[in-house]
Amino acid sequence: MPLTFTAAHSSRISKARPKKISLKRAASTPFPKLNQRKPIQRSQSKPEIAEDDDDDLFQDHLDDVGLVACLATDLSLRDVVQTMKYIRSHMFDDIPERSGMNSTRTAEVLNFRRLLPPIVTNVHVHALIKSPTLVEREIAELTSAGLLRKIVVPGRGVGRSSISDALVLIEDWERLVKEAKDLGFDLIDKYVQQLQTTSLSPTITRGVFDGAEASQLMRAGFLSALSQSLNSANVFSRPMDGSSGTLTSIASISRATSRSMTGVGGEGAVHETGSGSSAGLGTSKPQESHFPNIPGAISTRNIGDLQLALPSTGAFLKLLNEARVHLLSILSKSKFKEAPLYLLRERWDGGVETADQALKSSNYGRSFAAILPGRTRKWKHFYGLRFDWVLEECAGAGLVEVFETGSVGRGVRAV
């Protein structure tokens, strides 16, 4: 069979193909053939990461070898007075050289510490002394001898977290009164005499101080009224107080009869809160001062018994309550509500830089620097409150337990 080839089967002849019409616009860049990528979508600002919004604190379950009965690290603590002085002197950490705080903030921290009253809670003393019976017996003897005074703090917390009793040495109380600049020498001597003679009684009668003396002591913070019908705000009010400085509470109103005067707070409820007028309210009149010549005088018309007080007590109770809540919140991030003591201490301190890290950061730049103390919650909100101090408070109040693990040192467990 002859082999014949035609031009149609030759590979050298090809038919013209129609050109594809491109609908793409010409690139405006002078380098159209280079690979191009879409720009990465970046957020305008990075969200702030909270100090405690991390993963779980501790995932494993710790071995419990035995509970720690006493948290005292100083074996020389023997009596209540020595223990109280130790607790007060070890309440705050010293301000580090690299604190990250300016001079204004440093002054605020130091002034806050200086103005705190010399108060120690009863449970804190129990956490450092093994024998509870010995502690209570010695407190009773010191109170009877006029060397110690117990302060009752009602309505602070619920159950075991409540701050019920606090202790203060009479010598520290007298020192604060004598350092007050707004009080006269005669009034100071009269107050100190009452402080020494009424060590067993939480109240004093109204006739001990006249109106002018009571007003001066109230403004200085050394006297308070049991009936809170005052027009001055309380720094750390009870949760059930309807309005600050009055007895118009939700609990008393809810128990009153419907459509009665007591159900709306009483006859003089409007004027006790410092508002309204006397028109149309019968005999109710605004409170007037018995000594109008004294500027800023407080009315004592409806004041009954009085009780001795210390300035800035509310600030101390607020700091103590918030510190307890914060330590328990850190433990709640653990799976079993427990964590090693060293890890809990590190979390309380906020992961601040050590001395070696500070040396590296000064020699090699900021890349090695850790968090400065002034940026942590410990210094922002708690003014440098020590971890050991807060742990002893929580352990004495029965909020946490400290136990030996046998492997990683001591552990802390929320109760």
Side-chain angles (χ1 to χ4, degrees):
M1 180 177 181
L3 298 176
T4 57
F5 297 93
T6 60
H9 298 282
S10 176
S11 62
R12 291 176 297 178
I13 302 175
S14 61
K15 295 181 180 180
R17 297 179 180 179
K19 294 183 178 180
K20 295 182 179 180
I21 301 175
S22 177
L23 299 178
K24 296 182 180 180
R25 297 178 58 184
S28 59
T29 175
F31 306 100
K33 295 184 179 180
L34 293 179
N35 295 328
Q36 298 182 0
R37 294 185 303 174
K38 292 183 179 180
I40 301 175
Q41 297 293 336
R42 299 182 182 273
S43 58
Q44 297 294 333
S45 60
K46 296 182 179 179
E48 295 183 358
I49 300 176
E51 181 183 339
D52 298 326
D53 293 342
D54 299 332
D55 297 335
D56 292 340
L57 177 65
F58 196 71
Q59 297 284 350
D60 301 330
H61 188 73
L62 295 175
D63 296 332
D64 188 355
V65 179
L67 295 177
V68 178
C70 181
L71 298 181
T73 57
D74 190 355
L75 300 179
S76 63
L77 298 179
R78 300 295 181 185
D79 54 5
V80 174
V81 176
Q82 185 182 9
T83 304
M84 290 176 61
K85 293 181 179 180
Y86 174 83
I87 293 172
R88 288 181 48 213
S89 61
H90 292 74
M91 185 175 181
F92 295 100
D93 280 330
D94 297 333
I95 298 179
E97 296 181 359
R98 290 177 50 87
S99 62
M101 299 182 294
N102 54 18
S103 59
T104 303
R105 177 57 183 170
T106 304
E108 291 178 358
V109 172
L110 295 177
N111 288 330
F112 179 84
R113 296 180 179 182
R114 180 178 58 86
L115 295 176
L116 283 180
I119 295 177
V120 176
T121 59
N122 193 8
V123 296
H124 202 150
V125 178
H126 280 278
L128 299 182
I129 300 180
K130 292 182 179 181
S131 177
T133 306
L134 180 62
V135 171
E136 293 297 332
R137 185 182 304 167
E138 187 175 356
I139 289 176
E141 294 176 356
L142 293 174
T143 305
S144 302
L147 302 176
L148 187 69
R149 192 176 184 92
K150 181 179 292 187
I151 301 176
V152 180
V153 187
R156 299 296 186 268
V158 179
R160 290 173 300 180
S161 62
S162 61
I163 308 171
S164 57
D165 297 332
L167 306 174
V168 56
L169 296 176
I170 297 296
E171 59 179 6
D172 295 333
W173 203 320
E174 293 179 359
R175 176 180 52 82
L176 290 179
V177 176
K178 293 178 181 179
E179 292 177 354
K181 300 180 180 179
D182 299 334
L183 303 179
F185 293 104
D186 296 337
L187 183 56
I188 291 177
D189 295 338
K190 189 175 182 180
Y191 185 89
V192 171
Q193 182 180 2
Q194 290 296 321
L195 186 63
Q196 295 175 350
T197 56
T198 61
S199 59
L200 297 177
S201 176
T203 62
I204 58 176
T205 58
R206 180 182 176 183
V208 175
F209 300 103
D210 57 19
E213 293 174 344
S215 177
Q216 293 180 20
L217 291 173
M218 285 182 179
R219 290 200 308 269
F222 293 103
L223 198 67
S224 63
L226 290 181
S227 67
Q228 297 294 328
S229 56
L230 298 175
N231 291 334
S232 58
N234 191 358
V235 179
F236 196 57
S237 302
R238 294 182 58 182
M240 293 303 294
D241 284 345
S243 58
S244 181
T246 69
L247 285 179
T248 309
S249 63
I250 299 175
S252 60
I253 294 176
S254 62
R255 291 191 296 265
T257 307
S258 177
R259 297 182 181 181
S260 63
M261 185 64 69
T262 311
V264 293
E267 186 178 358
V270 178
H271 297 291
E272 287 179 359
T273 56
S275 58
S277 61
S278 60
L281 292 178
T283 58
S284 299
K285 295 182 180 180
Q287 294 183 357
E288 297 178 357
S289 174
H290 294 286
F291 27 90
N293 295 329
I294 301 178
I298 302 175
S299 174
T300 58
R301 181 182 301 273
N302 296 327
I303 294 179
D305 292 336
L306 302 174
Q307 63 179 355
L308 304 179
L310 281 172
S312 303
T313 303
F316 172 81
L317 297 177
K318 183 179 180 180
L319 176 68
L320 174 58
N321 187 47
E322 291 180 352
R324 286 182 177 183
V325 172
H326 180 54
L327 185 64
L328 293 178
S329 66
I330 297 177
L331 275 177
S332 65
K333 298 180 183 300
S334 177
K335 184 176 181 180
F336 298 99
K337 306 289 189 214
E338 61 184 16
L341 181 62
Y342 74 90
L343 186 59
L344 192 61
R345 183 194 304 273
E346 181 181 350
R347 185 60 60 90
W348 174 270
D349 293 337
V352 296
E353 62 180 11
T354 60
D356 296 337
Q357 291 173 335
L359 181 61
K360 289 181 180 180
S361 62
S362 61
N363 294 335
Y364 302 103
R366 299 289 300 175
S367 58
F368 290 94
I371 301 175
L372 293 176
R375 299 181 180 274
T376 60
R377 186 187 295 268
K378 173 183 176 180
W379 290 92
K380 279 185 176 181
H381 301 282
F382 302 123
Y383 302 90
L385 197 63
R386 281 189 175 183
F387 167 76
D388 294 331
W389 192 91
V390 182
L391 181 64
E392 292 163 2
E393 275 285 343
C394 293
L399 301 176
V400 298
E401 291 179 348
V402 182
F403 57 94
E404 296 288 349
T405 62
S407 55
V408 293
R410 290 182 176 182
V412 182
R413 179 193 304 117
V415 181

